[in-house]
Amino acid sequence: VKLRSLPPRQAEEQLYSAFIKTLRLRDLSEGKEQGVILTAYGETLGLYSEWSVASTGELRALNHMSRRRRLSPGRTFVIPLENTTEAAFNEDRATYHHERERSFFSSYQVVEIQERTVRSGESIWGLTQSDNIPMWLFYRENPSLLGKALQPGMTYFMPILKQVALAQSGDTSVESSQN
């Protein structure tokens, strides 16, 4: 296991800036008022509907999705832009991810990032569960793994967290390691 140690604040900022690049509307189709995004963990058809001001039915039709098909991270997804702008969609999407992270990082901080190698039989779900890491955080640290199956020998980065709990008085910070 190789370690990359970063000051917690710098680690969080570095993680966020690397991941947010995968959350941008791109490949804007001229004249079609559409864009194509890569889906991210935790995003839903309902959120895309809210951000694009389009119905979930319209989104399903545009993306040839049956009612049974679910979104999965790292897939391309067409977004209609007739009722919103690229900038507004991006802002709403970034705000959603920022708020989720702000809430999480009010209780946890990344204290180091370990470079690891995938072993036979491992899955992203299993890795995140064994280290008690949210899936979105794993994908944020490993955006190149969006939409890919793990193969033995691949490397990935696992954020190591420390729980930060405020004392009852509110003016003292008590930290404890999370295992």
Side-chain angles (χ1 to χ4, degrees):
V1 175
K2 296 179 185 175
L3 301 179
R4 279 191 301 162
S5 293
L6 298 171
R9 190 74 200 140
Q10 182 184 355
E12 291 167 22
E13 289 171 6
Q14 191 175 44
L15 290 172
Y16 183 74
S17 66
F19 185 71
I20 198 69
K21 291 177 184 169
T22 66
L23 297 179
R24 304 314 292 177
L25 196 63
R26 57 184 174 187
D27 298 331
L28 196 60
S29 301
E30 291 184 35
K32 291 187 179 179
E33 295 184 6
Q34 296 175 347
V36 178
I37 59 169
L38 286 180
T39 56
Y41 192 82
E43 294 179 340
T44 65
L45 205 55
L47 287 171
Y48 294 153
S49 174
E50 179 183 327
W51 302 333
S52 66
V53 193
S55 71
T56 56
E58 181 181 355
L59 291 169
R60 284 187 181 283
L62 193 58
N63 288 280
H64 312 287
M65 282 182 74
S66 69
R67 287 200 163 276
R68 293 182 181 163
R69 189 168 146 217
R70 295 200 174 275
L71 290 175
S72 57
R75 304 288 186 224
T76 57
F77 196 85
V78 179
I79 300 293
L81 297 174
E82 289 88 11
N83 301 319
T84 192
T85 65
E86 177 183 359
F89 181 90
N90 282 333
E91 183 177 334
D92 289 346
R93 192 177 191 201
T95 298
Y96 165 78
H97 287 278
H98 178 74
E99 288 300 314
R100 176 176 63 184
E101 291 175 9
R102 186 184 61 73
S103 175
F104 179 81
F105 288 121
S106 69
S107 298
Y108 297 94
Q109 67 180 170
V110 175
V111 293
E112 67 182 352
I113 300 167
Q114 295 180 349
E115 182 177 3
R116 298 181 181 176
T117 302
V118 176
R119 292 180 292 214
S120 181
E122 289 184 320
S123 67
I124 292 173
W125 175 257
L127 295 172
T128 58
Q129 293 303 297
S130 66
D131 279 77
N132 202 22
I133 302 295
M135 290 282 283
W136 64 263
L137 182 56
F138 179 87
Y139 280 121
R140 191 182 78 167
E141 181 59 27
N142 298 279
S144 65
L145 296 179
L146 281 167
K148 293 183 181 173
L150 293 182
Q151 301 294 323
M154 292 174 81
T155 59
Y156 64 94
F157 297 100
M158 183 62 77
I160 306 302
L161 301 175
K162 181 182 282 187
Q163 189 170 13
V164 179
L166 294 179
Q168 292 293 341
S169 66
D171 60 355
T172 306
S173 179
V174 177
E175 298 178 356
S176 63
S177 292
Q178 176 187 12
N179 293 325

